[in-house]
Short mmCIF file of all heavy atoms in Angstrom, two decimals:
data_model
loop_
_atom_site.label_atom_id
_atom_site.label_comp_id
_atom_site.label_asym_id
_atom_site.label_seq_id
_atom_site.Cartn_x
_atom_site.Cartn_y
_atom_site.Cartn_z
N THR A 85 95.35 144.83 106.48
CA THR A 85 96.06 144.26 107.63
C THR A 85 96.99 145.26 108.31
O THR A 85 97.56 144.96 109.35
CB THR A 85 96.87 143.02 107.20
OG1 THR A 85 97.66 143.36 106.06
CG2 THR A 85 95.96 141.86 106.86
N SER A 86 97.13 146.44 107.71
CA SER A 86 97.91 147.48 108.41
C SER A 86 97.07 148.13 109.51
O SER A 86 97.55 149.02 110.21
CB SER A 86 98.39 148.54 107.42
OG SER A 86 97.31 149.32 106.96
N LYS A 87 95.84 147.71 109.61
CA LYS A 87 94.96 148.25 110.65
C LYS A 87 94.53 147.10 111.57
O LYS A 87 93.40 146.61 111.48
CB LYS A 87 93.73 148.91 110.03
CG LYS A 87 94.08 150.08 109.12
CD LYS A 87 92.84 150.66 108.46
CE LYS A 87 93.22 151.86 107.59
NZ LYS A 87 92.07 152.43 106.88
N PRO A 88 95.45 146.65 112.41
CA PRO A 88 95.11 145.52 113.28
C PRO A 88 94.13 145.95 114.37
O PRO A 88 94.10 147.12 114.77
CB PRO A 88 96.46 145.12 113.88
CG PRO A 88 97.25 146.37 113.87
CD PRO A 88 96.81 147.14 112.64
N GLY A 89 93.35 145.01 114.82
CA GLY A 89 92.37 145.29 115.86
C GLY A 89 91.06 144.59 115.54
O GLY A 89 91.02 143.65 114.75
N THR A 90 90.00 145.07 116.14
CA THR A 90 88.70 144.44 115.93
C THR A 90 87.94 145.14 114.80
O THR A 90 87.67 146.33 114.88
CB THR A 90 87.87 144.50 117.22
OG1 THR A 90 88.57 143.83 118.27
CG2 THR A 90 86.52 143.84 117.03
N TRP A 91 87.63 144.38 113.80
CA TRP A 91 86.83 144.88 112.68
C TRP A 91 85.37 144.51 112.96
O TRP A 91 85.07 143.37 113.31
CB TRP A 91 87.30 144.26 111.37
CG TRP A 91 88.63 144.79 110.90
CD1 TRP A 91 89.83 144.65 111.53
CD2 TRP A 91 88.87 145.58 109.74
NE1 TRP A 91 90.82 145.29 110.83
CE2 TRP A 91 90.26 145.87 109.72
CE3 TRP A 91 88.07 146.07 108.71
CZ2 TRP A 91 90.85 146.63 108.70
CZ3 TRP A 91 88.66 146.82 107.70
CH2 TRP A 91 90.04 147.09 107.69
N ASP A 92 84.49 145.50 112.82
CA ASP A 92 83.08 145.28 113.12
C ASP A 92 82.29 145.23 111.82
O ASP A 92 82.42 146.11 110.96
CB ASP A 92 82.55 146.41 114.01
CG ASP A 92 83.35 146.50 115.31
OD1 ASP A 92 83.57 145.46 115.94
OD2 ASP A 92 83.77 147.62 115.66
N VAL A 93 81.48 144.20 111.69
CA VAL A 93 80.68 144.02 110.48
C VAL A 93 79.21 143.93 110.86
O VAL A 93 78.82 143.09 111.67
CB VAL A 93 81.10 142.74 109.71
CG1 VAL A 93 80.29 142.62 108.42
CG2 VAL A 93 82.59 142.76 109.41
N GLN A 94 78.42 144.83 110.29
CA GLN A 94 77.00 144.89 110.58
C GLN A 94 76.21 144.46 109.34
O GLN A 94 76.53 144.86 108.23
CB GLN A 94 76.62 146.33 110.96
CG GLN A 94 75.14 146.59 111.14
CD GLN A 94 74.87 148.07 111.42
OE1 GLN A 94 74.89 148.51 112.56
NE2 GLN A 94 74.62 148.85 110.38
N VAL A 95 75.20 143.62 109.56
CA VAL A 95 74.31 143.22 108.46
C VAL A 95 72.87 143.51 108.88
O VAL A 95 72.46 143.15 109.99
CB VAL A 95 74.46 141.72 108.12
CG1 VAL A 95 73.57 141.37 106.93
CG2 VAL A 95 75.90 141.38 107.81
N ARG A 96 72.13 144.17 107.99
CA ARG A 96 70.74 144.55 108.29
C ARG A 96 69.85 144.20 107.11
O ARG A 96 70.25 144.29 105.96
CB ARG A 96 70.63 146.05 108.53
CG ARG A 96 71.53 146.58 109.60
CD ARG A 96 71.61 148.09 109.50
NE ARG A 96 70.29 148.72 109.60
CZ ARG A 96 70.00 149.90 109.09
NH1 ARG A 96 70.90 150.59 108.42
NH2 ARG A 96 68.79 150.41 109.22
N GLN A 97 68.64 143.82 107.46
CA GLN A 97 67.62 143.64 106.42
C GLN A 97 66.25 143.56 107.04
O GLN A 97 66.05 142.83 108.04
CB GLN A 97 67.88 142.37 105.59
CG GLN A 97 66.98 142.30 104.36
CD GLN A 97 67.15 141.01 103.60
OE1 GLN A 97 67.15 139.95 104.20
NE2 GLN A 97 67.28 141.10 102.29
N SER A 98 65.31 144.30 106.49
CA SER A 98 63.91 144.25 106.89
C SER A 98 63.73 144.41 108.39
O SER A 98 62.97 143.67 109.03
CB SER A 98 63.28 142.91 106.44
OG SER A 98 63.43 142.73 105.05
N GLY A 99 64.41 145.37 108.96
CA GLY A 99 64.23 145.65 110.38
C GLY A 99 64.94 144.71 111.32
O GLY A 99 64.80 144.81 112.53
N HIS A 100 65.70 143.78 110.78
CA HIS A 100 66.49 142.87 111.61
C HIS A 100 67.96 143.11 111.31
O HIS A 100 68.32 143.48 110.19
CB HIS A 100 66.15 141.41 111.33
CG HIS A 100 64.72 141.06 111.60
ND1 HIS A 100 64.25 140.76 112.85
CD2 HIS A 100 63.65 141.02 110.77
CE1 HIS A 100 62.95 140.52 112.79
NE2 HIS A 100 62.55 140.67 111.54
N GLY A 101 68.79 142.87 112.28
CA GLY A 101 70.20 143.07 112.03
C GLY A 101 71.05 142.50 113.14
O GLY A 101 70.56 142.12 114.20
N ASP A 102 72.34 142.46 112.88
CA ASP A 102 73.28 141.96 113.87
C ASP A 102 74.65 142.53 113.54
O ASP A 102 74.87 143.04 112.43
CB ASP A 102 73.33 140.42 113.85
CG ASP A 102 73.88 139.84 115.14
OD1 ASP A 102 74.18 140.63 116.07
OD2 ASP A 102 74.01 138.61 115.24
N MET A 103 75.53 142.45 114.51
CA MET A 103 76.89 142.93 114.30
C MET A 103 77.86 141.88 114.82
O MET A 103 77.65 141.32 115.90
CB MET A 103 77.12 144.26 115.01
CG MET A 103 78.50 144.85 114.82
SD MET A 103 78.69 146.48 115.56
CE MET A 103 78.01 147.54 114.30
N VAL A 104 78.88 141.59 114.03
CA VAL A 104 79.89 140.62 114.45
C VAL A 104 81.22 141.35 114.58
O VAL A 104 81.47 142.33 113.88
CB VAL A 104 79.98 139.45 113.44
CG1 VAL A 104 80.53 139.92 112.10
CG2 VAL A 104 80.83 138.31 113.99
N HIS A 105 82.04 140.90 115.51
CA HIS A 105 83.30 141.57 115.80
C HIS A 105 84.45 140.60 115.50
O HIS A 105 84.55 139.55 116.12
CB HIS A 105 83.34 142.01 117.26
CG HIS A 105 82.09 142.75 117.67
ND1 HIS A 105 81.92 144.09 117.43
CD2 HIS A 105 80.94 142.32 118.24
CE1 HIS A 105 80.72 144.46 117.87
NE2 HIS A 105 80.11 143.40 118.36
N ILE A 106 85.29 140.98 114.55
CA ILE A 106 86.31 140.06 114.03
C ILE A 106 87.70 140.59 114.38
O ILE A 106 88.10 141.65 113.89
CB ILE A 106 86.17 139.92 112.51
CG1 ILE A 106 84.74 139.47 112.15
CG2 ILE A 106 87.19 138.93 111.96
CD1 ILE A 106 84.42 139.59 110.69
N PRO A 107 88.47 139.86 115.19
CA PRO A 107 89.84 140.30 115.48
C PRO A 107 90.75 140.04 114.29
O PRO A 107 90.79 138.94 113.77
CB PRO A 107 90.24 139.45 116.70
CG PRO A 107 89.38 138.24 116.61
CD PRO A 107 88.11 138.64 115.91
N ILE A 108 91.46 141.09 113.88
CA ILE A 108 92.40 140.98 112.75
C ILE A 108 93.78 141.37 113.25
O ILE A 108 93.97 142.45 113.79
CB ILE A 108 92.00 141.91 111.60
CG1 ILE A 108 90.59 141.60 111.11
CG2 ILE A 108 93.01 141.83 110.45
CD1 ILE A 108 90.43 140.30 110.40
N GLY A 109 94.77 140.52 113.05
CA GLY A 109 96.13 140.83 113.46
C GLY A 109 96.24 140.86 114.96
O GLY A 109 95.45 140.27 115.68
N GLU A 110 97.24 141.60 115.42
CA GLU A 110 97.46 141.66 116.85
C GLU A 110 96.34 142.47 117.50
O GLU A 110 95.77 143.35 116.89
CB GLU A 110 98.81 142.33 117.15
CG GLU A 110 98.91 143.73 116.60
CD GLU A 110 100.30 144.31 116.80
OE1 GLU A 110 101.12 143.66 117.43
OE2 GLU A 110 100.53 145.43 116.32
N ASP A 111 96.05 142.13 118.73
CA ASP A 111 95.00 142.85 119.45
C ASP A 111 95.39 144.30 119.59
O ASP A 111 96.50 144.63 119.94
CB ASP A 111 94.80 142.24 120.84
CG ASP A 111 94.09 140.91 120.74
OD1 ASP A 111 93.48 140.66 119.67
OD2 ASP A 111 94.16 140.13 121.70
N MET A 112 94.43 145.16 119.31
CA MET A 112 94.69 146.59 119.45
C MET A 112 94.27 147.01 120.85
O MET A 112 93.16 146.75 121.27
CB MET A 112 93.91 147.37 118.41
CG MET A 112 94.16 148.86 118.48
SD MET A 112 93.34 149.72 117.14
CE MET A 112 94.47 149.36 115.80
N ALA A 113 95.21 147.65 121.55
CA ALA A 113 94.89 148.07 122.91
C ALA A 113 94.04 149.32 122.87
O ALA A 113 94.49 150.37 122.43
CB ALA A 113 96.17 148.33 123.69
N VAL A 114 92.80 149.21 123.28
CA VAL A 114 91.91 150.35 123.32
C VAL A 114 91.48 150.55 124.76
O VAL A 114 91.00 149.63 125.39
CB VAL A 114 90.66 150.10 122.44
CG1 VAL A 114 89.69 151.27 122.56
CG2 VAL A 114 91.06 149.92 121.00
N SER A 115 91.70 151.70 125.26
CA SER A 115 91.38 151.92 126.66
C SER A 115 90.88 153.32 126.88
O SER A 115 91.33 154.27 126.25
CB SER A 115 92.63 151.66 127.51
OG SER A 115 92.39 152.03 128.84
N GLY A 116 89.90 153.42 127.78
CA GLY A 116 89.43 154.75 128.13
C GLY A 116 90.20 155.31 129.30
O GLY A 116 89.90 156.38 129.77
N GLY A 117 91.18 154.58 129.81
CA GLY A 117 91.95 155.01 130.97
C GLY A 117 92.92 156.13 130.62
O GLY A 117 93.19 156.40 129.46
#
Side-chain angles (χ1 to χ4, degrees):
Chain A
T85 50
S86 70
K87 299 177 178 178
T90 301
W91 287 65
D92 302 312
V93 183
Q94 173 184 273
V95 183
R96 304 165 58 205
Q97 190 184 47
S98 304
H100 299 277
D102 201 2
M103 181 175 277
V104 67
H105 311 276
I106 305 168
I108 302 290
E110 59 185 356
D111 287 342
M112 182 174 282
V114 176
S115 173

